[in-house]
Amino acid sequence: MKRVVITGAGSINALGHDVPETLAAMREGRCGISDLEFQDVDRLAIKIGGQVKGFEAEGHFNRQQMTLYDRFTQFTLMAAKEAIAQSGLEFMGEDAARSGVILGTAGGGVSTWDANYRTVYEEGKNRVHPFVVPKLMNNAACSHVSMEYNLKGPSYTVSTACASSNHAMAQAFMMVRSGMAPAMITGGSESMLCFGGVKAWEGLRVMSKDACRPFSANRNGMVQGEGAGIFVFEEYEHAKKRGAEILAEVVGYAMSSDASDIVMPSKQGAARAISGALRDGGINPEDVGYINAHGTGTAANDKTECAAVADVFGPHADELMMSSTKSMHGHLIGGTGAVELLACIMALRDGVIAPTIGYKEFDPECAIDVVPNEAREAKVDVVLSNAFAFGGLNAVIALRKI
Amino acid sequence: MDIKDRVIEIIAEQAVLEPSDVTMDSTLESLGIDSLGLVESIFSIEESFDISVPFNANEPEKSDFDISSVASIIAGIEKLVAEQHA
């Protein structure tokens, strides 16, 4: 088996338009959640979100590209540009033929669906733009990355709701580890912050109207976010040979299915994914210093996740740190695991643990060190990133310092 | 049909029971209605009475809307109908 390392990272999200801005915000414990700005927001009960503000796609893409790029594709391409530039890779010849793109998204081009439904239903028009389908399809972002960077290997999009990015990154990891691909572009993207996208979530009655406060006893639900996180996963020797800067090593993963309920999480399913990732990576539970939690801020997720961590780690659960950065950037749904992996890399490389902000009251059902409100300096060697999706589909990734 | 009968009908349909099986002191739990069933019932109630019910599944005990029994649900809806259709 090959070793797999991360040699590039890129992002755009409510905390920043690139990785340095995002990490600076996480270090400061800054909240990127704000009042939503889009058409008909006044008809929503939920009016806040981790919306990407101050981003004008027009300056980055030409007119022809703009007609083809939904906002989730724009986010993906911005983050991919940053990640691939950092890696220094140029895909040619055999590397190009074998390297591909695996991305996660839950909704794909939601705002394209929304805008065009509005056109035909509300405005009564009978004609839509010819590129609606290639713009909204879930694999659009993946395909545009492959075209932009000449990636001709295995490429596809994974859609497992809130675990999409982690499932995608797990797939990319497997491909590089097995020797199938020298490098893979992976991560995920989401952009559901439009009237229809938020209205649908509102119906479930699990959203907070004021803030995302994971693990805090006074938490009252999740807050949606948007953006993308993209990474270059590369075979270790391939990266070493060209003298690439290595951000972290990906050492293990596991996926599990609760097979129980379409929305309620299961402690057993989560615990099987966490312990599976430890086993896959040959990791002693005591070596895990930090977990980036799924931590949605709902009553159900947070207590279930803490119980699962307590089950897997036993007494070590009292030693490790587990924070939810969703308190700052919101829940990016299919893109969330990718943006959250940045907090994992920061923990390993910079020795800075991102906080869970908005934390007010201790909840005995979440009795874990959640790094409340302020980032903390700590030396950690192994970290995990949890993702537990609606539908009971779980994926956990393990990274090690290198 | 008055508010009480209509609410009982909605709850009975959700619980797959006859309306006569739903009593005023029944709880949603005793009727076998889980959290997803509750959210769906509230949706039906909002649609039937053209009202908006303040209910967050994360903090049911903090909502103004008391779901501890069928009687309390009916009382809550009567109040909301009176307020919102005033």
Side-chain angles (χ1 to χ4, degrees), chain A residues 203 205-207 220-221 263 298-299, chain B residues 42 46 53 55-59:
Chain A
R205 293 176 184 269
V206 295
M207 310 294 288
N220 62 359
V263 291
T298 59
Chain B
I42 291 175
E46 287 184 324
V53 178
F55 180 78
N56 179 339
N58 291 292
E59 43 183 13

Side-chain angles (χ1 to χ4, degrees), chain A residues 25-45:
Chain A
M26 286 181 179
R27 270 194 294 267
E28 291 163 19
R30 185 151 55 77
C31 187
I33 294 166
S34 61
D35 291 336
L36 291 170
E37 294 170 3
F38 50 72
Q39 191 176 351
D40 292 334
V41 70
D42 52 308
R43 284 178 56 205
L44 293 168

